[in-house]
Amino acid sequence: MPGAFVLPLIIGLPLLGAIFVMCTPKTESSLHRGIGLTVTTITFLVSLLVLRYFNAKLDTYQLVFDVEWIPVLGAHFKTGIDGFSLYLVLLTTFLMPLTLFGTARSIDKNVREFIATMLILEAGMLGAFVALDLFLFYVMWEVMLIPMYLLIGIWGGQRRLYASIKFVIYTMAGSLLMLVAIFYVYVQAGSVLGGYTTDLEKLTQVALPYHAQVWCFAAFAVAFAIKVPLFPLHTWLPDAHVEAPTAGSVILAGVMLKFGIYGFLRYAMPLFPHGAEVWAPTIAVLSVIGIIYGALVAYAQDDVKKLVAYSSVSHLGFCALGIVALTPYGIGGSVYAMLSHGLTTGGLFLGIGVLYERRHTRRLAEYGGLWKQMPVFAGLYLIIVMGSAGLPALSGFVGEFLTLLGTFDAGIDGSPVIIPVPTILGALATTGVILGAVYLLFMFQKVFFGKLDKAKNGKLPDLTGRELGVFIPLVIGIFLMGMFPRPFLNAMDPTVKRFISEFATRQRECDGPAHRYGTMVMDKDGKCPAAPAGAAAAKTTDAQIKDNLDAVAKGAAAVEKAIAPAAKAAEGGAP
């Protein structure tokens, strides 16, 4: 497929950069920063090739790269993109060099290791966005965890160990539940497809029993809800943001939180549509609670970094509500809001980093009147704040408006309805827009307006050339997304329509043993046939079960045989 090399290349470049930087002398901090900035910039430029090869009129996976990876498991290194992942990939490659450039001087210890950690983190995030194999996705999902844990635990604040351990416990708990569900899907799909595989496109052809879908969706949903984070699984986020270095906060908010929503769209809802029907009302209600709760708690904060952290709980609540509304506006708006959130919240955290480098405090009470002292910074930061608040002509407005419109439209255009009282939920969520403007403008007023009555604030320098090089691209991006949303939405539209159509088709599948979709379909009256075609072929006999277990046992024996020499060497024996 044309352009298939691009996706493996943008995953591999950061990994090669991490290896290269670790081979340089530990004392050459400037060299390490230069390597990190160069590699991430090249990765961004290469990622722009995706736009060249991507056909916005197609609703299928594009730029697909597929090679056999672990034959005994049926796992492939398979990557590809569609309208959901296209701009999330570009957001990741865009933010990473800006983050390294903007925080170049804030890290002064173990710089080599810091740059390598950031590069590995970028590779993991890109791999998770483009993975079309369930095992590959899980590996990349875990790869993201380790670098962020190190970023918080090594380069974080005073309570960094507490925050990093809490982050790991929450994330690992969700990951293990998802892993159990992956094992179940893997075994069931093997009996239906006649062979074991972790290929996402093949797994989505398998209809699991109704109750299995409910529990598997719940397992995936916990992992993704923690990552969003969805109320009440959000409590790790403020601690992680407060203690993380600025670079960690920018990437955590700008990119990593998006994997929760993306995971629902790419994996949980297509694999377990009946489970999505059961749990969607709960997700919708928790999303609305998170929108309002996050905004109110953000307003109550005196720590400006914690305020922005709680704002993410509120903003991502809109995204979660949009996807379960299951309308074109809702899903398209959700993805758009994620892109906007990456720019605006990333910019908010970078601005906090600028203030912290100068004053070494994040308390709102320590600031005031900075517009007189730092007019350029104040003007640029005001645009970012307004973008986050959803001012028309800026990026935040488009995503929130479409998400709310999609929620109100649920079921009106004939699309599937899986949430209760969408009008009421949409009305309650709308209050979050008002509350968002309140806490963001309150923060801006406290920092930049009022009297310049703190002696230390009277000596603060305005933005340097390096810092301008970070904020200007972000502001341009916020304006572009706010004033020209059509190119972004056009690229998403075919994928969104395909997603809704396929979900509606899968909803009509009857309950029964694991089988291929389309073999046990309800009739026009909503009734299941007494003897569904192909059902007998779908049933797994005792002999088949035995054969499947034997195949797994043989695979395990092969793996054990392969690792035996290494294990023997580790124990001190000869390989």
Side-chain angles (χ1 to χ4, degrees), residues 106-424:
S106 62
I107 301 297
D108 54 10
K109 67 174 183 178
N110 300 321
V111 177
R112 181 182 65 177
E113 289 75 14
F114 171 78
I115 296 298
T117 301
M118 290 291 287
L119 292 173
I120 295 171
L121 177 61
E122 181 179 23
M125 294 187 298
L126 291 171
F129 275 135
V130 302
L132 295 183
D133 182 278
L134 199 54
F135 184 74
L136 176 62
F137 170 76
Y138 186 81
V139 169
M140 292 299 179
W141 177 274
E142 294 302 313
V143 166
M144 292 188 297
L145 169 65
I146 299 171
M148 185 54 67
Y149 166 73
L150 295 176
L151 285 174
I152 300 172
I154 297 176
W155 294 279
Q158 293 182 349
R159 300 177 70 242
R160 58 185 180 272
L161 294 180
Y162 167 79
S164 60
I165 292 173
K166 188 174 183 180
F167 166 73
V168 168
I169 290 174
Y170 269 76
T171 309
M172 283 298 297
S175 297
L176 291 175
L177 287 174
M178 181 168 63
L179 183 61
V180 172
I182 289 174
F183 281 143
Y184 179 83
V185 174
Y186 177 73
V187 173
Q188 292 296 313
S191 65
V192 173
L193 301 175
Y196 292 104
T197 182
T198 54
D199 186 306
L200 177 62
E201 291 184 282
K202 293 180 180 178
L203 293 178
T204 51
Q205 299 174 15
V206 178
L208 297 176
Y210 183 88
H211 292 292
Q213 289 195 37
V214 171
W215 289 110
C216 286
F217 182 89
F220 273 69
V222 170
F224 297 145
I226 289 172
K227 190 70 76 177
V228 170
L230 200 64
F231 177 91
L233 302 174
H234 67 285
T235 57
W236 64 271
L237 183 65
D239 293 312
H241 270 312
V242 169
E243 300 305 324
T246 300
S249 293
V250 172
I251 298 303
L252 180 60
V255 181
M256 288 190 69
L257 299 188
K258 311 303 180 289
F259 283 100
I261 304 298
Y262 179 77
F264 279 112
L265 289 173
R266 176 67 77 230
Y267 296 97
M269 296 178 73
L271 288 172
F272 320 113
H274 289 303
E277 288 183 78
V278 172
W279 291 105
T282 302
I283 294 173
V285 171
L286 292 179
S287 299
V288 172
I289 293 174
I291 290 170
I292 299 172
Y293 167 84
L296 292 174
V297 176
Y299 179 74
Q301 300 305 311
D302 182 50
D303 186 318
V304 64
K305 206 173 185 184
K306 188 171 285 190
L307 183 152
V308 178
Y310 276 107
S311 77
S312 292
V313 177
S314 182
H315 282 118
L316 271 298
F318 285 101
C319 299
L321 181 61
I323 61 172
V324 293
L326 213 63
T327 59
Y329 286 140
I331 295 176
S334 176
V335 177
Y336 205 90
M338 286 195 287
L339 297 174
S340 171
H341 181 264
L343 296 179
T344 57
T345 306
L348 291 175
F349 277 117
L350 284 168
I352 294 169
V354 167
L355 295 174
Y356 188 79
E357 284 184 25
R358 288 159 168 76
R359 281 295 320 272
H360 299 289
T361 180
R362 294 189 298 265
R363 294 188 64 244
L364 288 173
E366 293 295 323
Y367 295 101
L370 292 190
W371 191 293
K372 299 177 182 177
Q373 191 66 24
M374 306 174 70
V376 175
F377 174 58
L380 293 174
Y381 205 63
L382 178 61
I383 296 172
I384 296 172
V385 166
M386 290 301 183
S388 183
L391 184 72
L394 300 179
S395 61
F397 172 78
V398 179
E400 290 183 355
F401 177 79
L402 290 177
T403 301
L404 292 172
L405 181 61
T407 303
F408 282 113
D409 278 352
I412 294 178
D413 59 355
S415 57
V417 183
I418 58 175
I419 60 173
V421 290
T423 303
I424 296 176

Side-chain angles (χ1 to χ4, degrees), residues 478-548:
I478 290 170
F479 271 115
L480 284 176
M481 288 191 65
M483 300 180 71
F484 305 100
R486 179 51 56 190
F488 298 90
L489 295 173
N490 282 345
M492 301 175 196
D493 191 54
T495 302
V496 171
K497 290 180 177 177
R498 182 202 70 196
F499 177 88
I500 295 173
S501 174
E502 291 181 352
F503 189 91
T505 300
R506 292 186 177 112
Q507 275 187 308
R508 300 187 66 248
E509 199 74 20
C510 296
D511 188 19
H515 61 278
R516 286 181 181 269
Y517 275 108
T519 59
M520 297 176 64
V521 184
M522 295 179 186
D523 58 25
K524 61 181 180 180
D525 298 322
K527 297 180 179 179
C528 291
K539 293 183 179 180
T540 304
T541 64
D542 292 340
Q544 288 174 317
I545 293 174
K546 183 178 183 301
D547 290 342
N548 292 335

